[in-house]
Short mmCIF file of all heavy atoms in Angstrom, two decimals:
data_model
loop_
_atom_site.label_atom_id
_atom_site.label_comp_id
_atom_site.label_asym_id
_atom_site.label_seq_id
_atom_site.Cartn_x
_atom_site.Cartn_y
_atom_site.Cartn_z
N MET R 1 6.18 -1.40 24.43
CA MET R 1 6.90 -0.62 23.46
C MET R 1 8.32 -0.39 23.97
O MET R 1 8.53 0.04 25.08
CB MET R 1 6.20 0.73 23.26
CG MET R 1 6.98 1.68 22.41
SD MET R 1 6.35 3.36 22.31
CE MET R 1 4.80 3.09 21.54
N THR R 2 9.28 -0.68 23.13
CA THR R 2 10.67 -0.49 23.47
C THR R 2 11.09 0.94 23.13
O THR R 2 10.78 1.43 22.05
CB THR R 2 11.57 -1.48 22.72
OG1 THR R 2 11.16 -2.80 23.03
CG2 THR R 2 13.02 -1.30 23.09
N LYS R 3 11.78 1.59 24.07
CA LYS R 3 12.31 2.94 23.85
C LYS R 3 13.81 2.93 24.08
O LYS R 3 14.33 2.07 24.78
CB LYS R 3 11.61 3.95 24.76
CG LYS R 3 10.15 4.14 24.42
CD LYS R 3 9.56 5.30 25.16
CE LYS R 3 8.13 5.51 24.72
NZ LYS R 3 7.56 6.72 25.31
N PHE R 4 14.47 3.92 23.50
CA PHE R 4 15.93 4.00 23.52
C PHE R 4 16.40 5.37 23.99
O PHE R 4 15.74 6.37 23.72
CB PHE R 4 16.49 3.76 22.11
CG PHE R 4 16.04 2.48 21.49
CD1 PHE R 4 14.87 2.41 20.76
CD2 PHE R 4 16.80 1.34 21.64
CE1 PHE R 4 14.45 1.23 20.18
CE2 PHE R 4 16.38 0.15 21.07
CZ PHE R 4 15.20 0.09 20.34
N ARG R 5 17.57 5.41 24.64
CA ARG R 5 18.22 6.66 24.99
C ARG R 5 19.70 6.42 25.19
O ARG R 5 20.14 5.30 25.46
CB ARG R 5 17.62 7.31 26.22
CG ARG R 5 18.02 6.67 27.53
CD ARG R 5 17.48 7.47 28.68
NE ARG R 5 17.83 6.83 29.95
CZ ARG R 5 17.52 7.34 31.12
NH1 ARG R 5 16.87 8.48 31.21
NH2 ARG R 5 17.86 6.73 32.22
N PHE R 6 20.47 7.49 25.03
CA PHE R 6 21.91 7.42 25.29
C PHE R 6 22.20 8.08 26.62
O PHE R 6 21.57 9.06 27.00
CB PHE R 6 22.69 8.11 24.17
CG PHE R 6 22.72 7.29 22.91
CD1 PHE R 6 21.82 7.52 21.89
CD2 PHE R 6 23.64 6.26 22.77
CE1 PHE R 6 21.84 6.75 20.74
CE2 PHE R 6 23.66 5.48 21.63
CZ PHE R 6 22.76 5.73 20.61
N VAL R 7 23.19 7.52 27.32
CA VAL R 7 23.59 8.02 28.63
C VAL R 7 25.10 8.22 28.62
O VAL R 7 25.85 7.35 28.16
CB VAL R 7 23.19 7.01 29.74
CG1 VAL R 7 23.64 7.49 31.10
CG2 VAL R 7 21.70 6.76 29.72
N THR R 8 25.53 9.38 29.10
CA THR R 8 26.95 9.67 29.26
C THR R 8 27.25 9.64 30.76
O THR R 8 26.33 9.58 31.57
CB THR R 8 27.32 11.04 28.66
OG1 THR R 8 26.75 12.06 29.46
CG2 THR R 8 26.87 11.17 27.22
N PRO R 9 28.50 9.72 31.15
CA PRO R 9 28.80 9.74 32.59
C PRO R 9 28.14 10.90 33.33
O PRO R 9 27.89 10.81 34.53
CB PRO R 9 30.33 9.86 32.63
CG PRO R 9 30.78 9.22 31.36
CD PRO R 9 29.73 9.59 30.35
N SER R 10 27.81 11.99 32.62
CA SER R 10 27.23 13.15 33.31
C SER R 10 25.81 13.51 32.89
O SER R 10 25.17 14.34 33.54
CB SER R 10 28.12 14.37 33.11
OG SER R 10 28.24 14.66 31.73
N ARG R 11 25.30 12.91 31.81
CA ARG R 11 23.96 13.27 31.34
C ARG R 11 23.22 12.07 30.79
O ARG R 11 23.83 11.10 30.36
CB ARG R 11 24.06 14.32 30.23
CG ARG R 11 24.68 15.61 30.71
CD ARG R 11 24.76 16.63 29.63
NE ARG R 11 23.43 17.21 29.41
CZ ARG R 11 23.19 18.12 28.48
NH1 ARG R 11 24.16 18.53 27.69
NH2 ARG R 11 21.99 18.62 28.33
N ALA R 12 21.89 12.19 30.78
CA ALA R 12 21.03 11.16 30.18
C ALA R 12 20.09 11.83 29.19
O ALA R 12 19.54 12.90 29.47
CB ALA R 12 20.24 10.44 31.26
N GLY R 13 19.92 11.21 28.04
CA GLY R 13 19.04 11.76 27.02
C GLY R 13 17.60 11.39 27.26
O GLY R 13 17.26 10.63 28.17
N LYS R 14 16.73 11.94 26.41
CA LYS R 14 15.32 11.62 26.46
C LYS R 14 15.10 10.21 25.91
O LYS R 14 15.93 9.69 25.17
CB LYS R 14 14.52 12.60 25.58
CG LYS R 14 14.40 13.98 26.14
CD LYS R 14 13.70 14.92 25.18
CE LYS R 14 12.43 14.32 24.61
NZ LYS R 14 11.71 15.24 23.72
N TRP R 15 13.97 9.61 26.25
CA TRP R 15 13.58 8.33 25.68
C TRP R 15 12.95 8.56 24.31
O TRP R 15 12.10 9.44 24.15
CB TRP R 15 12.58 7.62 26.59
CG TRP R 15 13.20 7.10 27.85
CD1 TRP R 15 13.10 7.65 29.08
CD2 TRP R 15 14.00 5.93 27.99
NE1 TRP R 15 13.81 6.91 29.99
CE2 TRP R 15 14.37 5.83 29.35
CE3 TRP R 15 14.47 4.96 27.11
CZ2 TRP R 15 15.16 4.81 29.84
CZ3 TRP R 15 15.26 3.94 27.61
CH2 TRP R 15 15.60 3.86 28.96
N TYR R 16 13.37 7.79 23.31
CA TYR R 16 12.83 7.89 21.96
C TYR R 16 12.26 6.55 21.53
O TYR R 16 12.74 5.50 21.95
CB TYR R 16 13.91 8.33 20.97
CG TYR R 16 14.39 9.74 21.22
CD1 TYR R 16 15.55 9.99 21.94
CD2 TYR R 16 13.67 10.83 20.75
CE1 TYR R 16 15.98 11.28 22.18
CE2 TYR R 16 14.09 12.13 20.99
CZ TYR R 16 15.23 12.34 21.71
OH TYR R 16 15.65 13.63 21.95
N THR R 17 11.26 6.60 20.65
CA THR R 17 10.56 5.38 20.24
C THR R 17 11.35 4.52 19.27
O THR R 17 11.04 3.35 19.10
CB THR R 17 9.19 5.70 19.62
OG1 THR R 17 9.39 6.63 18.55
CG2 THR R 17 8.26 6.29 20.66
N ASP R 18 12.36 5.11 18.60
CA ASP R 18 13.20 4.27 17.75
C ASP R 18 14.67 4.67 17.90
O ASP R 18 14.99 5.80 18.25
CB ASP R 18 12.75 4.30 16.28
CG ASP R 18 12.87 5.65 15.62
OD1 ASP R 18 13.94 6.27 15.71
OD2 ASP R 18 11.90 6.08 14.99
N LEU R 19 15.52 3.73 17.61
CA LEU R 19 16.96 3.91 17.79
C LEU R 19 17.50 5.02 16.90
O LEU R 19 18.34 5.81 17.32
CB LEU R 19 17.69 2.59 17.51
CG LEU R 19 19.20 2.63 17.61
CD1 LEU R 19 19.67 3.09 18.98
CD2 LEU R 19 19.78 1.27 17.26
N ARG R 20 17.04 5.10 15.68
CA ARG R 20 17.55 6.10 14.74
C ARG R 20 17.29 7.52 15.26
O ARG R 20 18.13 8.40 15.13
CB ARG R 20 16.89 5.90 13.38
CG ARG R 20 17.62 6.56 12.27
CD ARG R 20 18.91 5.84 12.03
NE ARG R 20 19.56 6.40 10.85
CZ ARG R 20 20.82 6.27 10.59
NH1 ARG R 20 21.58 5.59 11.40
NH2 ARG R 20 21.35 6.80 9.54
N GLN R 21 16.13 7.72 15.85
CA GLN R 21 15.80 9.03 16.41
C GLN R 21 16.70 9.35 17.60
O GLN R 21 17.18 10.47 17.75
CB GLN R 21 14.33 9.07 16.80
CG GLN R 21 13.84 10.44 17.17
CD GLN R 21 12.37 10.47 17.48
OE1 GLN R 21 11.78 9.44 17.80
NE2 GLN R 21 11.77 11.63 17.39
N ALA R 22 16.94 8.36 18.45
CA ALA R 22 17.84 8.56 19.60
C ALA R 22 19.24 8.92 19.12
O ALA R 22 19.90 9.78 19.70
CB ALA R 22 17.87 7.31 20.46
N GLN R 23 19.68 8.28 18.05
CA GLN R 23 21.00 8.59 17.50
C GLN R 23 21.05 10.00 16.93
O GLN R 23 22.04 10.71 17.09
CB GLN R 23 21.36 7.59 16.40
CG GLN R 23 21.62 6.21 16.91
CD GLN R 23 21.81 5.19 15.81
OE1 GLN R 23 21.31 5.37 14.69
NE2 GLN R 23 22.50 4.11 16.11
N ARG R 24 19.98 10.44 16.28
CA ARG R 24 19.93 11.77 15.70
C ARG R 24 20.08 12.87 16.74
O ARG R 24 20.69 13.91 16.49
CB ARG R 24 18.60 11.95 14.96
CG ARG R 24 18.78 12.25 13.52
CD ARG R 24 17.52 12.43 12.73
NE ARG R 24 16.55 13.31 13.35
CZ ARG R 24 15.25 13.07 13.40
NH1 ARG R 24 14.77 11.96 12.90
NH2 ARG R 24 14.43 13.92 13.95
N PHE R 25 19.52 12.66 17.94
CA PHE R 25 19.54 13.68 18.98
C PHE R 25 20.63 13.47 20.04
O PHE R 25 20.70 14.21 21.00
CB PHE R 25 18.17 13.77 19.64
CG PHE R 25 17.11 14.31 18.71
CD1 PHE R 25 16.17 13.47 18.16
CD2 PHE R 25 17.09 15.65 18.38
CE1 PHE R 25 15.19 13.96 17.30
CE2 PHE R 25 16.13 16.16 17.52
CZ PHE R 25 15.19 15.31 16.97
N ALA R 26 21.48 12.47 19.86
CA ALA R 26 22.53 12.16 20.84
C ALA R 26 23.52 13.30 21.02
O ALA R 26 24.08 13.48 22.10
CB ALA R 26 23.27 10.89 20.45
N SER R 27 23.73 14.08 19.99
CA SER R 27 24.70 15.19 20.09
C SER R 27 24.26 16.25 21.09
O SER R 27 25.08 16.98 21.63
CB SER R 27 24.93 15.83 18.72
OG SER R 27 23.75 16.43 18.26
N ARG R 28 22.97 16.33 21.37
CA ARG R 28 22.46 17.32 22.32
C ARG R 28 23.00 17.11 23.73
O ARG R 28 23.10 18.05 24.51
CB ARG R 28 20.95 17.32 22.35
CG ARG R 28 20.34 17.84 21.08
CD ARG R 28 18.85 17.90 21.19
NE ARG R 28 18.29 18.45 19.96
CZ ARG R 28 17.02 18.70 19.79
NH1 ARG R 28 16.16 18.46 20.75
NH2 ARG R 28 16.59 19.19 18.65
N ILE R 29 23.33 15.86 24.07
CA ILE R 29 23.87 15.59 25.40
C ILE R 29 25.35 15.22 25.34
O ILE R 29 25.93 14.83 26.34
CB ILE R 29 23.08 14.48 26.14
CG1 ILE R 29 23.21 13.13 25.43
CG2 ILE R 29 21.63 14.88 26.34
CD1 ILE R 29 22.84 11.96 26.29
N GLY R 30 25.95 15.31 24.16
CA GLY R 30 27.36 15.00 24.02
C GLY R 30 27.66 13.51 24.02
O GLY R 30 28.71 13.08 24.47
N ALA R 31 26.71 12.71 23.49
CA ALA R 31 26.87 11.26 23.49
C ALA R 31 27.53 10.74 22.21
O ALA R 31 28.05 9.64 22.19
CB ALA R 31 25.52 10.58 23.67
N GLY R 32 27.48 11.52 21.15
CA GLY R 32 28.04 11.08 19.89
C GLY R 32 27.42 11.87 18.76
O GLY R 32 26.77 12.88 18.98
N PHE R 33 27.62 11.38 17.52
CA PHE R 33 27.05 12.08 16.38
C PHE R 33 26.74 11.08 15.27
O PHE R 33 27.28 9.99 15.21
CB PHE R 33 28.00 13.16 15.87
CG PHE R 33 29.29 12.63 15.31
CD1 PHE R 33 29.45 12.39 13.96
CD2 PHE R 33 30.37 12.37 16.15
CE1 PHE R 33 30.65 11.92 13.45
CE2 PHE R 33 31.58 11.89 15.66
CZ PHE R 33 31.71 11.66 14.29
N LEU R 34 25.85 11.50 14.39
CA LEU R 34 25.46 10.71 13.23
C LEU R 34 26.26 11.22 12.05
O LEU R 34 26.13 12.39 11.66
CB LEU R 34 23.96 10.86 12.99
CG LEU R 34 23.27 9.85 12.14
CD1 LEU R 34 23.50 8.43 12.66
CD2 LEU R 34 21.77 10.13 12.08
N ASP R 35 27.14 10.38 11.50
CA ASP R 35 27.98 10.77 10.38
C ASP R 35 27.11 10.96 9.14
O ASP R 35 26.41 10.04 8.72
CB ASP R 35 29.04 9.70 10.14
CG ASP R 35 30.06 10.11 9.10
OD1 ASP R 35 29.66 10.61 8.03
OD2 ASP R 35 31.25 9.92 9.35
N ARG R 36 27.13 12.14 8.57
CA ARG R 36 26.28 12.45 7.42
C ARG R 36 26.69 11.71 6.16
O ARG R 36 25.85 11.41 5.31
CB ARG R 36 26.30 13.95 7.14
CG ARG R 36 25.64 14.74 8.21
CD ARG R 36 25.64 16.20 7.86
NE ARG R 36 25.13 16.98 8.99
CZ ARG R 36 24.97 18.26 8.96
NH1 ARG R 36 25.27 18.94 7.88
NH2 ARG R 36 24.51 18.89 10.02
N ILE R 37 27.96 11.40 6.03
CA ILE R 37 28.43 10.73 4.81
C ILE R 37 28.09 9.24 4.84
O ILE R 37 27.53 8.71 3.89
CB ILE R 37 29.95 10.93 4.63
CG1 ILE R 37 30.22 12.42 4.41
CG2 ILE R 37 30.47 10.10 3.47
CD1 ILE R 37 31.68 12.80 4.39
N THR R 38 28.43 8.56 5.93
CA THR R 38 28.21 7.12 5.99
C THR R 38 26.85 6.75 6.58
O THR R 38 26.38 5.63 6.38
CB THR R 38 29.29 6.44 6.85
OG1 THR R 38 29.17 6.92 8.20
CG2 THR R 38 30.67 6.70 6.32
N GLY R 39 26.24 7.68 7.35
CA GLY R 39 24.96 7.38 7.99
C GLY R 39 25.11 6.56 9.26
O GLY R 39 24.12 6.14 9.84
N LYS R 40 26.35 6.34 9.69
CA LYS R 40 26.60 5.54 10.90
C LYS R 40 26.69 6.44 12.13
O LYS R 40 27.14 7.58 12.05
CB LYS R 40 27.90 4.75 10.76
CG LYS R 40 27.81 3.67 9.72
CD LYS R 40 29.07 2.85 9.68
CE LYS R 40 28.95 1.77 8.62
NZ LYS R 40 30.13 0.92 8.60
N PHE R 41 26.29 5.89 13.26
CA PHE R 41 26.38 6.61 14.52
C PHE R 41 27.74 6.37 15.14
O PHE R 41 28.23 5.25 15.20
CB PHE R 41 25.29 6.14 15.48
CG PHE R 41 25.34 6.85 16.81
CD1 PHE R 41 24.96 8.17 16.92
CD2 PHE R 41 25.79 6.20 17.94
CE1 PHE R 41 25.03 8.84 18.13
CE2 PHE R 41 25.85 6.85 19.16
CZ PHE R 41 25.47 8.18 19.25
N VAL R 42 28.37 7.45 15.60
CA VAL R 42 29.68 7.37 16.25
C VAL R 42 29.49 7.83 17.70
O VAL R 42 29.19 9.00 17.94
CB VAL R 42 30.71 8.27 15.54
CG1 VAL R 42 32.06 8.18 16.25
CG2 VAL R 42 30.83 7.89 14.08
N ALA R 43 29.63 6.90 18.64
CA ALA R 43 29.47 7.23 20.06
C ALA R 43 30.79 7.69 20.64
O ALA R 43 31.86 7.17 20.29
CB ALA R 43 28.97 6.01 20.82
N TYR R 44 30.72 8.67 21.52
CA TYR R 44 31.91 9.13 22.21
C TYR R 44 32.25 8.16 23.34
O TYR R 44 31.36 7.45 23.83
CB TYR R 44 31.70 10.53 22.78
CG TYR R 44 31.51 11.59 21.73
CD1 TYR R 44 30.52 12.56 21.87
CD2 TYR R 44 32.32 11.65 20.60
CE1 TYR R 44 30.34 13.54 20.91
CE2 TYR R 44 32.14 12.63 19.64
CZ TYR R 44 31.16 13.57 19.80
OH TYR R 44 30.98 14.54 18.85
N PRO R 45 33.51 8.09 23.78
CA PRO R 45 33.89 7.19 24.86
C PRO R 45 33.04 7.44 26.12
O PRO R 45 32.76 8.59 26.48
CB PRO R 45 35.36 7.53 25.12
CG PRO R 45 35.85 8.10 23.83
CD PRO R 45 34.67 8.84 23.25
N GLY R 46 32.63 6.37 26.75
CA GLY R 46 31.83 6.46 27.97
C GLY R 46 30.33 6.50 27.73
O GLY R 46 29.54 6.50 28.66
N THR R 47 29.92 6.54 26.46
CA THR R 47 28.49 6.59 26.12
C THR R 47 27.91 5.18 26.13
O THR R 47 28.51 4.24 25.64
CB THR R 47 28.30 7.21 24.72
OG1 THR R 47 28.78 8.54 24.75
CG2 THR R 47 26.85 7.19 24.31
N GLU R 48 26.73 5.06 26.72
CA GLU R 48 26.03 3.78 26.74
C GLU R 48 24.64 3.95 26.16
O GLU R 48 24.01 4.99 26.34
CB GLU R 48 25.92 3.26 28.17
CG GLU R 48 27.26 2.91 28.78
CD GLU R 48 27.11 2.32 30.17
OE1 GLU R 48 25.99 1.87 30.53
OE2 GLU R 48 28.10 2.34 30.90
N LEU R 49 24.16 2.92 25.49
CA LEU R 49 22.80 2.90 24.97
C LEU R 49 21.94 2.14 25.97
O LEU R 49 22.27 1.02 26.36
CB LEU R 49 22.75 2.20 23.62
CG LEU R 49 21.36 1.94 23.05
CD1 LEU R 49 20.64 3.24 22.74
CD2 LEU R 49 21.46 1.07 21.81
N GLU R 50 20.83 2.75 26.37
CA GLU R 50 19.86 2.07 27.23
C GLU R 50 18.62 1.80 26.41
O GLU R 50 18.22 2.63 25.58
CB GLU R 50 19.47 2.93 28.43
CG GLU R 50 20.53 3.08 29.47
CD GLU R 50 20.04 3.82 30.70
OE1 GLU R 50 18.93 4.40 30.67
OE2 GLU R 50 20.77 3.83 31.69
N GLN R 51 18.02 0.65 26.63
CA GLN R 51 16.72 0.37 26.02
C GLN R 51 15.84 -0.25 27.08
O GLN R 51 16.31 -1.00 27.92
CB GLN R 51 16.84 -0.49 24.78
CG GLN R 51 17.32 -1.91 24.98
CD GLN R 51 17.43 -2.62 23.66
OE1 GLN R 51 18.05 -2.12 22.73
NE2 GLN R 51 16.85 -3.79 23.57
N ARG R 52 14.58 0.11 27.03
CA ARG R 52 13.66 -0.35 28.06
C ARG R 52 12.29 -0.58 27.44
O ARG R 52 11.86 0.16 26.55
CB ARG R 52 13.55 0.71 29.15
CG ARG R 52 12.66 0.28 30.31
CD ARG R 52 12.68 1.29 31.42
NE ARG R 52 14.04 1.32 31.99
CZ ARG R 52 14.46 2.29 32.81
NH1 ARG R 52 13.68 3.29 33.11
NH2 ARG R 52 15.68 2.24 33.30
N ASP R 53 11.63 -1.62 27.90
CA ASP R 53 10.26 -1.90 27.46
C ASP R 53 9.30 -1.20 28.39
O ASP R 53 9.34 -1.39 29.60
CB ASP R 53 9.99 -3.41 27.47
CG ASP R 53 10.77 -4.13 26.37
OD1 ASP R 53 10.88 -3.55 25.27
OD2 ASP R 53 11.24 -5.24 26.62
N PHE R 54 8.46 -0.34 27.80
CA PHE R 54 7.43 0.37 28.53
C PHE R 54 6.09 -0.28 28.21
O PHE R 54 5.86 -0.73 27.08
CB PHE R 54 7.39 1.85 28.15
CG PHE R 54 8.58 2.63 28.62
CD1 PHE R 54 9.74 2.70 27.87
CD2 PHE R 54 8.53 3.30 29.83
CE1 PHE R 54 10.84 3.43 28.32
CE2 PHE R 54 9.63 4.02 30.30
CZ PHE R 54 10.78 4.09 29.53
N ALA R 55 5.20 -0.31 29.17
CA ALA R 55 3.86 -0.86 28.94
C ALA R 55 3.14 -0.02 27.91
O ALA R 55 3.21 1.21 27.93
CB ALA R 55 3.07 -0.91 30.24
N SER R 56 2.45 -0.66 27.00
CA SER R 56 1.74 0.08 25.95
C SER R 56 0.41 0.57 26.43
O SER R 56 -0.28 0.01 27.17
CB SER R 56 1.51 -0.81 24.74
OG SER R 56 2.72 -1.31 24.28
#
């Protein structure tokens, strides 16, 4: 199972089972925000997306 999280230079988010969920909660660590009008994710400078396959 692939999981996703956002990482900033000073913080790392939780692992989420889908990218959309990781994007929704990215603001909690200051990684970016989900634009309500366009529905697009806007990452702040220095933010990286990590994805990892975990054994099921």
Side-chain angles (χ1 to χ4, degrees):
M1 172 188 297
T2 302
K3 293 190 177 186
F4 305 88
R5 75 174 178 178
F6 286 97
V7 178
T8 69
S10 60
R11 297 180 77 182
K14 288 176 47 178
W15 288 103
Y16 294 98
T17 55
D18 64 50
L19 178 58
R20 198 70 174 160
Q21 190 177 21
Q23 290 173 335
R24 240 180 47 223
F25 292 105
S27 64
R28 291 184 178 184
I29 65 162
F33 65 95
L34 198 55
D35 187 313
R36 292 182 186 182
I37 295 172
T38 64
K40 292 184 179 183
F41 179 72
V42 179
Y44 295 136
T47 297
E48 294 183 18
L49 172 65
E50 288 186 349
Q51 66 182 51
R52 183 175 294 166
D53 290 322
F54 290 87
S56 305

